Amino acid sequence: ETGVTQSPTHLIKTRGQQVTLRCSSQSGHNTVSWYQQALGQGPQFIFQYYREEENGRGNFPPRFSGLQFPNYSSELNVNALELDDSALYLCASSLGRTGYTFGSGTRLTVV
Amino acid sequence: ELKVEQNPLFLSMQEGKNYTIYCNYSTTSDRLYWYRQDPGKSLESLFVLLSNGAVKQEGRLMASLDTKARLSTLHITAAVHDLSATYFCAVDLDNDMRFGAGTRLTVKP
């Protein structure tokens, strides 16, 4: 059984650019959630996808968007990057509400 | 707006001592999680508490949930250095989780 895999592990982008982060969910999990964790803070919910449909969204602007694919993997896209978008982005997969498994995260730095 | 408040935010303990971390939340939920995070790492699931009065124990850590008081506790018994980490509680709201700010625990020899 594989866990949740995120890629890339680290990346550096320039303000105004666009970025795509990827997440492969744990085998058998049909729900993927994305979180942003700024340094020294708790994770903040961005959105959740269930069976390829957005199933809830936190307080993030529309330039944060996502996709879930038929194999339940997912992407997080951020347009027009701002310095404050620098954070650890975490993906978590689950089968409904049975418990969430987190990936190792992508560390995004915007300069 | 849902609030999830942890206290203390910082905790420095001596090895061998006991202490409790508190997690208060402001809305109805029947599910609460505790996670551990080491510096620069992802979140490791510790406990899932599914009902009022639930108590779970793993090693030196014990978690409990009182849904009526909207309170969960994480009790540390006879702390050891390996428990040094940041601990988060998270309230399940059906299609998202809301995290507390975390408790940064340092266990000193």
Side-chain angles (χ1 to χ4, degrees):
Chain A
E1 176 181 291
T2 59
V4 177
T5 305
Q6 291 187 244
S7 63
T9 54
H10 298 82
L11 76 165
I12 300 173
K13 290 286 190 177
T14 302
R15 189 171 47 182
Q17 285 188 314
Q18 178 266 343
V19 68
T20 297
L21 310 182
R22 295 179 174 82
C23 172
S24 294
S25 58
Q26 184 169 315
S27 177
H29 285 185
N30 57 15
T31 302
V32 173
S33 305
W34 285 92
Y35 293 84
Q36 180 196 67
Q37 187 178 22
L39 198 60
Q41 298 183 21
Q44 301 292 316
F45 174 69
I46 303 175
F47 43 57
Q48 181 184 88
Y49 280 83
Y50 171 68
R51 294 187 174 182
E52 303 178 60
E53 297 286 333
E54 188 177 289
N55 188 42
R57 188 179 181 91
N59 190 26
F60 280 80
R63 60 190 184 84
F64 286 77
S65 63
L67 282 173
Q68 187 180 32
F69 300 100
N71 65 355
Y72 301 134
S73 66
S74 178
E75 288 183 352
L76 164 66
N77 299 288
V78 187
N79 293 322
L81 284 166
E82 301 177 358
L83 297 179
D84 284 350
D85 295 334
S86 296
L88 179 68
Y89 288 84
L90 295 165
C91 163
S93 74
S94 63
L95 181 61
R97 297 174 69 208
T98 57
Y100 298 84
T101 302
F102 281 84
S104 56
T106 294
R107 175 75 61 188
L108 172 64
T109 302
V110 182
V111 297
Chain B
E1 181 184 335
L2 169 64
K3 291 184 179 179
V4 182
E5 297 181 340
Q6 283 183 242
N7 70 83
L9 298 181
F10 297 92
L11 177 56
S12 180
M13 299 175 62
Q14 291 265 300
E15 278 192 331
K17 297 293 187 182
N18 305 332
Y19 207 86
T20 300
I21 299 170
Y22 297 89
C23 175
N24 291 90
Y25 54 98
S26 62
T27 194
T28 301
S29 175
D30 62 354
R31 194 168 300 220
L32 188 136
Y33 303 87
W34 284 96
Y35 290 92
R36 168 182 171 145
Q37 187 175 41
D38 292 297
K41 304 293 185 182
S42 188
L43 297 169
E44 174 191 352
S45 178
L46 295 174
F47 301 106
V48 181
L49 302 169
L50 299 177
S51 62
N52 187 42
V55 177
K56 289 195 174 180
Q57 182 162 7
E58 181 72 34
R60 301 175 188 275
L61 301 178
M62 183 174 70
S64 67
L65 177 62
D66 182 341
T67 58
K68 294 179 181 178
R70 299 179 183 173
L71 171 68
S72 181
T73 61
L74 181 66
H75 186 73
I76 302 158
T77 301
V80 293
H81 179 69
D82 285 351
L83 289 180
S84 296
T86 299
Y87 293 85
F88 292 97
C89 65
V91 176
D92 191 327
L93 296 180
D94 192 21
N95 59 5
D96 76 76
M97 281 193 295
R98 300 296 174 90
F99 284 79
T103 297
R104 187 174 298 178
L105 171 64
T106 303
V107 181
K108 299 181 177 180

